[in-house]
Amino acid sequence: MCGITGWISYDQDLTAERDTLDAMTATMACRGPDAVGLWTDTHAALGHRRLAVIDIEGGKQPMSVERDGRTVLVTTYSGEIYNYRELRAELTARGHAFRTSSDTEVALHAYLEWGEDFTHRLNGMYAFALWDPREQRLLLVRDRMGIKPLYYYPTPDGVLFGSEPKAILAHPAVRPAVDAEGLAELLAFTKTPGHAVYKGMYEVRPGHLVRVGRQGLAEHRYWGLEAREHTDDTDTTVRRVRELLDDIVARQLIADVPLCTLLSGGLDSSAITALAARGLADAGRGPVRSFAVDFAGQTEHFKADALRATPDGPYAHALAEHVGADHQDIVLDTAALMDPAHRHATLTARDLPFGSGESDTSLYLLFKAIRDRSTVALSGESADEVFGGYSWFHDPRATGADTFPWIAVFREVGFTGVRSGGREALLHPEVLAKVDIEAYQAARYREALSEVPHREGDSATERRMREICYLHLTRFVQFLLDRKDRASMAVGLEVRVPFCDHRLVEYVFNTPWSMKTFDGREKSLLRAATRDLLPDAVAQRVKSPYPSTQDHRYTEAIQAELRDLLADGDAPVRPLLDTAAARRAADGAAGAAGAAGDARQPIEMALGLDAWLRRYGVELTL
């Protein structure tokens, strides 16, 4: 894993712009604490910050290929190619010579051998740039599911790019501006592929590449979900899912640095931890390390709500004991969650105030603690999107709604179980009228539906559930992948997501909905495929989202902070707020689950917007 950035300019000599390149690259230091590298040519400048995971000594970047004394290809690369050993063997047989043991060099030679078609051969998570000095052309490539981020900013004579917006914003020609559409994207709870919120900036879409040449930019999709006939019966399907998981986890255990798993005690993370424990034991590398987040006193005083029926702790401990894991709970308190330094680090990691508040901060703190013992972690992220794990997959009110199903649910039930009115609830009506979040959501929903592949002869139920699955795999999971990538890379921790392997995603996407729910429950295929690895209590546990603190002192603390903000006449967010609504939220009675009728999410969004406007100097043009 790493941080990448660069600048292509066909009208300038970039060899004289190393200071600017160095400033852009420095913003990626969190993603790559182990080494820095710069490469410049007349019209290309590439920067790299390295997190060393494979081939510690030989994998330095930017990396190039020379022939006859000339550079024919250079890359700045982030991610992991899990099938790089097979590709290396094939390329060696075709006459390619390698000087390192890194997957980065394999990517270079794969492009030289197969051109742009090399993307079809890659299995992994990656975002990288390839500069071809012969053609004076740049290629930006992002993995199929969008696990690794990659942003770009077209200029009159080329392009700027980076793993995160902050790399591009470090260029003196770029101002952090956000218009009404950008603010709608920020608030609407639908991550539109390609949209970067900042005006003039874009994100390379998952499964896409962007070509940059003297004539401009062109985007090309090299992968997407397709509708195919599923001919396997249920037993065969379960076996195939297990075969895929065995292979996927085995590949993702490859690392030259300490490795661990994220363990919540849910089905997804438990399955990954159990598979990792078996794989490491077979290789003589055990036991598996595992980590879980908890809040001080929460397991002992846990109160069930509409989203979380049980605390994570007992289930995580049961799985850890079952597989013999070296397990550690990372226990956080309200003081840590409210620490200004931690909240500042969380905002800087994201470059945007997504409004998940303490959930973002606790994830950052979890990863910060893990980084002291491991460099790579395996996560159960995206299993719910792949296998149909959320409660709303099984709620006709949500699946039948004329919008994204999670939005239908959140309009009725807030993040902590009580209707909250949305993260935007404290914004002024005039601001909301300009942004028009519901119209934006409706337009994005129609766009997403128009992309869904269908098969002739599918029943109405099958057709609709294919749409629901597609929406989650292309719109919802991007929130979670982006959140996890930023929080982990902010502390130099590489998080791998086995359930995002495109072979598994393609296979399960095309299994009939009746097969995905064959036992009458959510995630039937995953449960059946890993049942032999898990304690019964863990296998049967009902889905519980990432934990949130129930400490009323946290709610009281953010209410107090909102009162201070409202008293500050110079607070940049003040013109955006409905002052009366904000005062009611700030002064409302705090409960275990939230504040002022569960306005915790809107309060956190208001505070986050203010911190973002201050920290980034954002120009809002509504």
Side-chain angles (χ1 to χ4, degrees):
M1 204 62 57
C2 300
I4 69 172
T5 190
W7 178 11
I8 304 301
S9 173
Y10 292 105
D11 293 342
Q12 297 185 61
D13 181 353
L14 296 185
T15 59
E17 298 289 346
R18 287 182 71 90
D19 287 347
T20 298
L21 177 64
D22 187 55
M24 295 170 67
T25 305
T27 67
M28 295 290 94
C30 57
R31 299 184 70 92
D34 296 328
V36 60
L38 305 178
W39 184 93
T40 59
D41 199 359
T42 305
H43 299 303
L46 307 181
H48 188 267
R49 290 291 313 209
R50 188 180 184 214
L51 176 63
V53 172
I54 292 175
D55 191 2
I56 307 300
E57 295 301 321
K60 295 180 176 62
Q61 296 188 50
M63 186 179 290
S64 61
V65 176
E66 282 78 31
R67 289 178 179 171
D68 300 324
R70 296 177 57 200
T71 299
V72 297
L73 193 64
V74 61
T75 189
T76 180
Y77 168 91
S78 170
E80 306 290 351
I81 297 173
Y82 300 124
N83 64 333
Y84 78 99
R85 291 175 172 173
E86 296 96 313
L87 289 173
R88 180 189 174 100
E90 183 176 358
L91 288 163
T92 299
R94 290 172 175 262
H96 292 259
F98 292 86
R99 52 187 173 81
T100 77
S101 299
S102 70
D103 58 335
T104 304
E105 191 177 13
V106 170
L108 283 165
H109 284 270
Y111 176 78
L112 290 172
E113 179 66 30
W114 296 300
E116 290 183 5
D117 286 344
F118 84 124
T119 54
H120 301 296
R121 296 173 176 267
L122 305 182
N123 177 294
M125 57 178 190
Y126 45 82
F128 57 94
L130 289 166
W131 171 251
D132 186 337
R134 301 164 301 178
E135 301 289 336
Q136 294 284 287
R137 188 175 72 160
L138 180 78
L139 202 65
L140 300 174
V141 184
R142 193 173 180 205
D143 66 68
R144 294 170 178 84
M145 290 294 291
I147 305 167
K148 292 289 99 185
L150 183 55
Y151 294 82
Y152 66 100
Y153 186 96
T155 65
D157 69 333
V159 72
L160 304 166
F161 66 88
S163 293
E164 299 177 9
K166 61 175 64 70
I168 295 171
L169 294 174
H171 192 283
V174 181
R175 294 288 304 152
V178 175
D179 58 18
E181 181 179 284
L183 191 56
E185 176 71 18
L186 179 64
L187 296 169
F189 213 163
T190 170
K191 197 168 190 314
T192 307
H195 206 302
V197 176
Y198 290 102
K199 192 173 182 180
M201 192 182 300
Y202 304 90
E203 191 170 17
V204 178
R205 300 184 186 198
H208 282 66
L209 54 84
V210 174
R211 307 182 189 97
V212 182
R214 290 184 178 276
Q215 304 306 313
L217 282 70
E219 190 177 38
H220 169 70
R221 190 183 85 165
Y222 70 85
W223 181 86
L225 289 168
E226 299 177 357
R228 300 169 183 165
E229 183 181 7
H230 186 82
T231 58
D232 293 342
D233 62 19
T234 300
D235 289 343
T236 305
T237 299
V238 169
R239 285 196 300 273
R240 179 56 180 157
V241 168
R242 177 57 177 273
E243 289 169 358
L244 284 167
L245 287 173
D246 284 339
D247 180 70
I248 292 164
V249 172
R251 290 178 183 276
Q252 298 195 20
L253 291 176
I254 297 172
D256 296 333
V257 291
L259 176 144
C260 69
T261 68
L262 308 178
L263 176 60
S264 71
L267 175 61
D268 315 337
S269 65
S270 296
I272 294 301
T273 301
L275 288 164
R278 178 172 291 189
L280 291 171
D282 290 346
R285 296 167 55 199
V288 65
R289 288 190 181 109
S290 61
F291 294 88
V293 67
D294 200 0
F295 301 97
Q298 187 144 311
T299 296
E300 297 84 352
H301 305 291
F302 180 81
K303 294 182 180 180
D305 60 33
L307 293 179
R308 301 170 182 87
T310 54
D312 286 348
Y315 296 91
H317 297 164
L319 190 281
E321 182 178 358
H322 186 72
V323 303
D326 174 9
H327 181 76
Q328 181 179 347
D329 291 330
I330 306 301
V331 181
L332 308 175
D333 58 21
T334 292
L337 296 174
M338 288 301 298
D339 187 316
H342 297 157
R343 297 170 74 194
H344 174 82
T346 304
L347 172 65
T348 304
R350 298 294 293 271
D351 290 321
L352 293 170
F354 275 100
S356 296
E358 52 87 11
S359 293
D360 282 349
T361 308
S362 68
L363 191 65
Y364 165 81
L365 291 172
L366 169 64
F367 290 152
K368 188 172 186 289
I370 290 173
R371 185 62 174 87
D372 291 337
R373 294 191 63 194
S374 293
T375 307
V376 174
L378 270 63
S379 166
E381 203 76 84
S382 81
D384 289 304
E385 289 76 18
V386 173
F387 291 98
Y390 296 113
S391 60
W392 53 81
F393 272 93
H394 312 273
D395 185 343
R397 294 172 299 176
T399 59
D402 191 28
T403 188
F404 297 101
W406 56 91
I407 290 177
V409 170
F410 294 158
R411 282 176 181 170
E412 296 302 320
V413 179
F415 288 80
T416 52
V418 181
R419 179 171 172 79
S420 69
R423 297 183 295 178
E424 73 281 5
L426 301 186
L427 296 185
H428 195 282
E430 291 183 4
V431 173
L432 293 176
K434 292 178 180 178
V435 175
D436 201 348
I437 294 171
E438 289 196 12
Y440 187 80
Q441 289 170 334
R444 302 291 81 78
Y445 176 66
R446 296 298 169 202
E447 287 176 1
L449 281 187
S450 70
E451 300 171 6
V452 181
H454 287 288
R455 290 185 63 248
E456 295 271 346
D458 279 347
S459 67
T461 297
E462 184 63 31
R463 183 179 179 86
R464 180 54 177 166
M465 293 314 298
R466 184 182 290 275
E467 291 174 344
I468 297 296
C469 292
Y470 186 91
L471 295 175
H472 282 81
L473 290 168
T474 62
R475 300 311 193 268
F476 191 78
V477 78
Q478 290 300 309
F479 282 111
L480 305 180
L481 294 175
D482 187 69
R483 174 175 177 261
K484 187 150 285 183
D485 173 85
R486 301 302 186 82
S488 61
M489 294 308 293
V491 297
L493 178 72
E494 173 178 303
V495 174
R496 299 174 177 179
V497 278
F499 289 116
C500 275
D501 186 290
H502 71 279
R503 298 168 299 163
L504 180 69
V505 173
E506 290 172 345
Y507 185 76
V508 178
F509 177 69
N510 282 296
T511 59
W513 181 247
S514 59
M515 193 175 290
K516 290 174 183 166
T517 56
F518 75 86
D519 64 357
R521 293 193 56 187
E522 77 290 348
K523 292 186 282 197
S524 305
L525 292 174
L526 177 59
R527 184 177 295 102
T530 58
R531 183 65 188 85
D532 63 307
L533 300 171
L534 308 174
D536 188 64
V538 172
Q540 298 303 324
R541 188 187 182 197
V542 175
K543 166 71 181 178
S544 184
Y546 181 82
S548 178
T549 182
Q550 296 182 340
D551 187 348
H552 66 88
R553 290 172 296 184
Y554 175 79
T555 300
E556 292 165 354
I558 62 171
Q559 285 180 287
E561 190 169 327
L562 180 59
R563 287 193 293 272
D564 291 342
L565 186 153
L566 292 171
D568 180 0
D570 296 326
V573 80
R574 279 287 301 274
L576 302 179
L577 295 181
D578 180 335
T579 304
R583 285 200 177 109
R584 287 194 298 272
D587 296 334
D598 197 36
R600 197 164 88 179
Q601 284 285 330
I603 291 174
E604 289 175 326
M605 176 54 85
L607 297 175
L609 281 170
D610 189 71
W612 175 56
L613 293 170
R614 292 176 190 266
R615 166 71 178 80
Y616 284 78
V618 177
E619 178 188 353
L620 283 177
T621 55
L622 304 180

